[in-house]
């Protein structure tokens, strides 16, 4: 490359960076985000998520829903364990006795505390259609659902159980207004909330990047990764739909976060989740 073209390339890059900053600074219209506890999951054997590592070791997982106040309306990301579990103090034990799932406080009651009714939610998106992320999806039939087309086809197709999905959790969304995605999507058109395709855990798994006005940009992981140690070692849980795709997604998102100064918020990492303010408090 000649010196002249190098200078041109550098100048173009600087302009691109300036343009990017201007866009972020003037058009970020996310006002606040509530982290709503949406379940407590406990396993007797964490090696289900880290094959061959920590066999027989128990672990507690957090599980949150994320309610975003944008100038254009309310958006909900993930809907947690089913509120029906709240009636069972001992929760429900699944995965052959190796995972206990509970819902100490319903999502409905926590939304009410914030002053939001399910019908107020304009945008609904879930990282994927496993039961601990779509347990209360049926409340939000008034919202437009943003879902990857491959995830939609898996969830509403002839063999949802093949993907570990339980249609009773989300069947009312069949008649919702649905936007089927094939990749990334800028939800409000201002770059402040972006759904990113992140397949592997399920066929159409996705993550959410939220540019908060004070906190900065965060990436809500869904089940791209379940806890920090797995992230550090890029471990792929045994139950993932596609192992290679899972690895590629983690590397792609790691590079994206580094390049764009985005912080990773791991949904099921209890240690990290415990440090976040919970609804009705919020982050800005
Ligand atoms: Zn999952």
């Amino acid at each position: 490359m000649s010196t002249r073209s190098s200078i041109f390339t550098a100048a173009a890059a600087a302009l691109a960076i300036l343009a990017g900053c201007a866009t972020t600074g003037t058009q970020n219209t996310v006002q606040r985000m509530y982290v709503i506890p949406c379940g407590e999951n406990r396993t007797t054997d964490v090696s289900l998520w880290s094959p061959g590592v920590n066999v027989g070791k128990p672990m507690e997982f957090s599980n949150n829903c994320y309610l975003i106040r944008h100038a254009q309306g309310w958006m909900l990301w993930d809907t947690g364990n089913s509120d029906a579990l709240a009636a069972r103090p001992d929760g429900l034990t699944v995965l052959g006795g190796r995972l206990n799932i509970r819902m100490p406080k319903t999502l409905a009651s926590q939304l009410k505390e914030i002053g939001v009714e399910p019908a107020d939610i304009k945008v609904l998106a879930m990282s994927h259609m496993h039961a601990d992320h779509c347990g209360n999806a049926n409340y939000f039939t008034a919202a437009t659902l943003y879902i990857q087309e491959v995830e939609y086809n898996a969830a509403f197709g002839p063999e949802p159980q093949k993907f570990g999905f339980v249609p009773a959790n989300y069947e009312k969304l069949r008649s919702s207004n649905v936007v089927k995605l094939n990749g990334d999507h800028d939800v409000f058109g201002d770059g402040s909330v972006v759904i990113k395709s992140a397949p592997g855990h399920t066929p159409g798994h996705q993550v959410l990047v939220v540019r908060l006005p004070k906190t900065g940009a965060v990436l809500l992981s869904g089940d791209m990764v379940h806890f920090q140690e797995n992230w550090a070692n890029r471990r792929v849980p045994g139950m993932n739909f596609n192992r290679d795709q899972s690895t590629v997604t983690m590397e792609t998102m790691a590079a994206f976060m580094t390049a764009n100064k985005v912080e990773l918020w791991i949904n099921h990492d209890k240690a990290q989740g415990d440090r976040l303010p919970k609804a009705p408090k919020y982050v800005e």
Side-chain angles (χ1 to χ4, degrees), residues 49 127-133 165 201-202 205 222-223 226 239-240 268:
W49 289 265
S127 54
H128 63 299
M129 300 304 269
H130 280 157
D132 55 333
H133 297 259
F165 300 158
H201 181 66
T202 59
H205 184 277
D223 282 1
H226 290 75
M239 81 281 282
N240 275 23
H268 288 305

Side-chain angles (χ1 to χ4, degrees), residues 31-264:
Q31 294 159 349
R32 57 190 184 274
M33 180 168 78
Y34 298 84
V35 180
I36 305 176
C38 274
E40 294 174 358
N41 301 345
R42 296 179 180 83
T43 184
T44 53
D45 183 2
V46 75
S47 74
L48 290 168
W49 289 265
S50 56
V53 180
N54 293 324
V55 177
K57 192 180 159 191
M59 183 176 265
E60 284 188 43
F61 295 111
S62 54
N63 192 22
N64 296 311
C65 303
Y66 304 82
L67 177 68
I68 297 158
R69 178 66 211 181
H70 186 278
Q72 293 177 38
W74 290 103
M75 172 175 179
L76 185 66
W77 172 254
D78 279 347
T79 69
N81 291 351
S82 170
D83 278 0
L85 287 173
R88 308 170 67 128
D90 296 330
L92 188 68
T93 300
V94 296
L95 292 182
R98 291 173 295 181
L99 183 69
N100 178 262
I101 56 175
R102 300 177 192 218
M103 192 64 168
K105 199 172 175 186
T106 63
L107 173 60
S109 69
Q110 295 186 84
L111 286 174
K112 208 176 196 73
E113 212 177 320
I114 296 166
V116 172
E117 296 294 328
D120 296 334
I121 305 296
K122 182 180 173 184
V123 175
L124 173 66
M126 291 165 283
S127 54
H128 63 299
M129 300 304 269
H130 280 157
D132 55 333
H133 297 259
C134 72
N136 297 299
N138 286 333
Y139 288 154
F140 306 102
T141 50
T144 297
L145 173 67
Y146 289 78
I147 182 171
Q148 299 295 320
E149 187 163 19
V150 285
E151 191 81 352
Y152 185 93
N153 291 342
F156 292 99
E159 293 184 292
Q161 67 283 354
K162 200 177 108 183
F163 305 93
F165 300 158
V166 182
N169 286 314
Y170 54 77
E171 63 192 2
K172 289 187 180 169
L173 301 186
R174 200 180 275 278
S175 50
S176 288
N177 186 19
V178 181
V179 177
K180 295 176 191 171
L181 306 175
N182 287 287
D184 300 353
H185 181 70
D186 180 354
V187 177
F188 296 103
D190 59 7
S192 64
V193 182
V194 177
I195 293 170
K196 290 184 76 65
S197 171
H201 181 66
T202 59
H205 184 277
Q206 52 191 12
V207 297
L208 193 71
V209 177
V210 183
R211 295 183 195 283
L212 292 157
K214 294 181 184 167
T215 307
V218 299
L219 186 147
L220 306 180
S221 68
D223 282 1
M224 175 182 76
V225 60
H226 290 75
F227 46 92
Q228 185 57 42
E229 192 185 323
N230 263 14
W231 177 246
N233 295 284
R234 300 289 191 269
R235 288 186 192 128
V236 178
M239 81 281 282
N240 275 23
F241 176 74
N242 186 316
R243 185 191 161 78
D244 291 345
Q245 215 174 30
S246 302
T247 302
V248 170
T249 284
M250 283 192 280
E251 293 300 348
T252 304
M253 292 303 153
F256 166 79
M257 286 187 282
T258 301
N260 294 279
K261 295 190 168 58
V262 178
E263 189 182 342
L264 175 62

